[in-house]
Each structure stands twice: as C-alpha cells, then as structure tokens.
Amino acid sequence: MLAFLLSSFSFLPPVTTTLFKTSVAAWESNALVKDKALGLNIMAVDGTTFRCQDSEDNAQAFGFISQKHKPYPQLRLVGLMATETRFMMGAAFDACQVGEATLARRLLADVPANSLTLFDRCYFSADLLISWNAAASNSHWLTPVKRKLRYEVLEQFAENDMLISMPISPQAQLQSESRFAVGVRQEFWGVLLAYNLVRLEMIHIAQDADVRSTRVSFTSAINLIDTQLRWLALSSDGTLPSKLKQMRESISHFILPDKRKDQIPI
C-alpha cells in the first residue's frame, strides 16, 4: 500500500518534509489522547534502521552498519509516537553512524505540551533530557535508571521516589549533523505521511465504534485500505464519500478484543 501511495508524491524533499509536519499539526487533536489518570499525553521515542537501495550515492550518504560486510547502505530513524493512537508525531533520520540520542534531539520541536515521553536506556543523556523537559509546556520524561548511574539523594519521599542531583558532562552538548540522499529522504517522509494517514483513519474508525484506536487491527486496516484505494482510483469523484463510508464500516469488523487488565491507580 505504501508504494501505491508514494507513487502519487512528486514533491521535492523540502516540500514533503513540510507536508508531513503540516499534516501532523492539522491532525494533532485527533492523534493525542490524554491518559485519564495522569492527565498527560503519553509519548514514546524509539529508533530503528532501514536498508536503502544499493547505490554509490546512498553508500556515501548513509554508510553501513558493518564495515566488513556491506550488503546494503542503511539509515537510522528515530520517531516520536503517541502511544494511545500509535500516531507518528515527529521523525528524524540520518546516516547509520549517527546515534539515536543525537537524532532524538532533533525531535525537540515536535514535543507536545502536557506530555510524558518514555525513553529507553540508550537515550540517557543529560543534555537531551534537560532540553526535552524545556521543549514544551509541562513536558516530562521517564526512563529506566542505569545501574552505574551516579547521583546524590537530596530528598527521599518514598521507596524509589526521591529527588536527586546528578553531575552533567560537558560532552553532553555535542551534536552531529549530516546531509541526506535526495531520493531516500523524499521516500521516507512519504512513508511516514502514508503511515499517519492509515493511523488517522483507524482513529476515526475507533471513535465511531467507541473503542480505543489500538483496538483496531493495523494489519487488517492497511490491507483493506490498500484494496479500497486501488478501486477508488478508478471510481468517479461523486462516489468517493459513499465508498469511504463503506470502507470504515468494513474495517469496524476487525476490532480486536480488549486485552487490558484492570489497573489500580497508584
């Protein structure tokens, strides 16, 4: 499906970047759902790598994970996702040699207000986390504590609940920048936009069915949307609204059972 959607994009890379960010801003009210207990938008940051077409241009721009075995050039991507809807609020990608913490720092402009962001241990950087806290109004973060973390307890509130002070290294201020290969950059912004379009449709389906958007099967939704979009491309404009309505009604049959266990607020 993504290849089908991407075939309609003929924008230059700066335009696809702007289109993605503009669409996120327009759909933010649908994408963000506050946790009832905390009153915050729960976010998560994580990274992955993607293989690129084996070309000299991509090899120079993105490099290889292994210097011994070089099957395909790879780029590294870090995304900021709303956990309640799985909507991608921001993304940063670069050469595979660029670390995830460095890429995460490029997401500071995408941090929503009134949010709590979950980080893995690899993102534990004083500069990143302090900057994240200041990036938006009422922005917070949560990450597992490293075993070798150095800190001083200033005040103990309860077990595992304390105010601490940590030393900050000057090296925490370092940041890396790199130039992207034009074609790959355009494609990935298009992929992210297409992904969010599917997630947005799933949000609307969940609202109609009065369930959480994570109850809608992504695999079933994307397969059905793929098929429907191919047929819609051959339909006249006047039939689009009714076809979209039928598509939503069909996807509602793919709502998953609620597996959440009852939780007692702490």
Side-chain angles (χ1 to χ4, degrees):
M1 174 197 171
L2 294 181
F4 173 77
L5 287 175
L6 288 174
S7 64
S8 64
F9 289 112
S10 59
F11 308 106
L12 293 175
V15 179
T16 54
T17 305
T18 302
L19 179 59
F20 173 79
K21 293 182 179 297
T22 302
S23 66
V24 168
W27 300 331
E28 183 175 297
S29 59
N30 297 106
L32 296 180
V33 179
K34 289 184 179 179
D35 180 84
K36 294 181 180 179
L38 298 176
L40 297 172
N41 299 301
I42 309 301
M43 314 297 295
V45 168
D46 204 357
T48 187
T49 56
F50 291 92
R51 294 191 306 179
C52 307
Q53 195 71 21
D54 189 10
S55 68
E56 185 64 29
D57 185 51
N58 286 340
Q60 292 180 0
F62 303 112
F64 301 88
I65 295 293
S66 172
Q67 295 304 314
K68 288 186 177 181
H69 307 285
K70 303 179 179 181
Y72 291 95
Q74 290 182 289
L75 65 80
R76 190 180 305 280
L77 180 144
V78 171
L80 173 64
M81 180 177 287
T83 62
E84 184 63 26
T85 60
R86 305 297 194 270
F87 193 88
M88 191 71 72
M89 300 299 297
F93 48 90
D94 208 326
C96 61
Q97 290 84 4
V98 178
E100 290 188 18
T102 298
L103 292 175
R105 206 179 191 288
R106 301 180 192 174
L107 300 174
L108 291 173
D110 302 316
V111 180
N114 304 309
S115 62
L116 172 64
T117 304
L118 310 178
F119 288 97
D120 198 0
R121 286 185 176 90
C122 69
Y123 297 97
F124 195 90
S125 159
D127 177 52
L128 170 61
L129 298 178
I130 291 173
S131 299
W132 202 274
N133 186 243
S137 174
N138 199 26
S139 171
H140 309 273
W141 50 266
L142 185 66
T143 183
V145 176
K146 289 185 175 181
R147 184 173 298 178
K148 297 182 180 180
L149 179 67
R150 293 185 300 143
Y151 62 88
E152 176 187 357
V153 178
L154 301 179
E155 187 174 356
Q156 182 88 32
F157 303 107
E159 186 178 1
N160 297 325
D161 185 6
M162 62 192 76
L163 177 66
I164 66 173
S165 173
M166 297 184 299
I168 299 177
S169 169
Q171 284 74 24
Q173 302 298 323
L174 294 179
Q175 184 178 352
S176 175
E177 296 289 344
S178 180
R179 188 176 184 83
F180 296 164
V182 174
V184 175
R185 182 183 182 185
Q186 179 179 2
E187 180 179 354
F188 268 85
W189 283 120
V191 167
L192 293 171
L193 179 60
Y195 170 85
N196 275 353
L197 283 169
V198 175
R199 284 294 180 186
L200 182 66
E201 188 62 26
M202 292 172 64
I203 291 171
H204 291 318
I205 293 167
Q207 290 173 345
D208 292 343
D210 195 24
V211 299
R212 298 167 64 235
S213 61
T214 49
R215 291 271 307 278
V216 180
S217 169
F218 180 80
T219 302
S220 299
I222 197 171
N223 286 336
L224 185 55
I225 290 173
D226 182 14
T227 302
Q228 291 294 332
L229 284 178
R230 295 177 189 274
W231 282 107
L232 287 174
L234 304 175
S235 303
S236 60
D237 293 342
T239 63
L240 290 181
S242 60
K243 294 290 185 180
L244 288 172
K245 182 179 179 180
Q246 292 176 7
M247 184 176 69
R248 287 187 179 182
E249 291 174 350
S250 299
I251 297 179
S252 65
H253 296 299
F254 298 107
I255 295 177
L256 302 172
D258 192 355
K259 297 182 180 180
R260 293 187 305 169
K261 296 181 180 180
D262 294 335
Q263 297 179 351
I264 302 176
I266 299 177

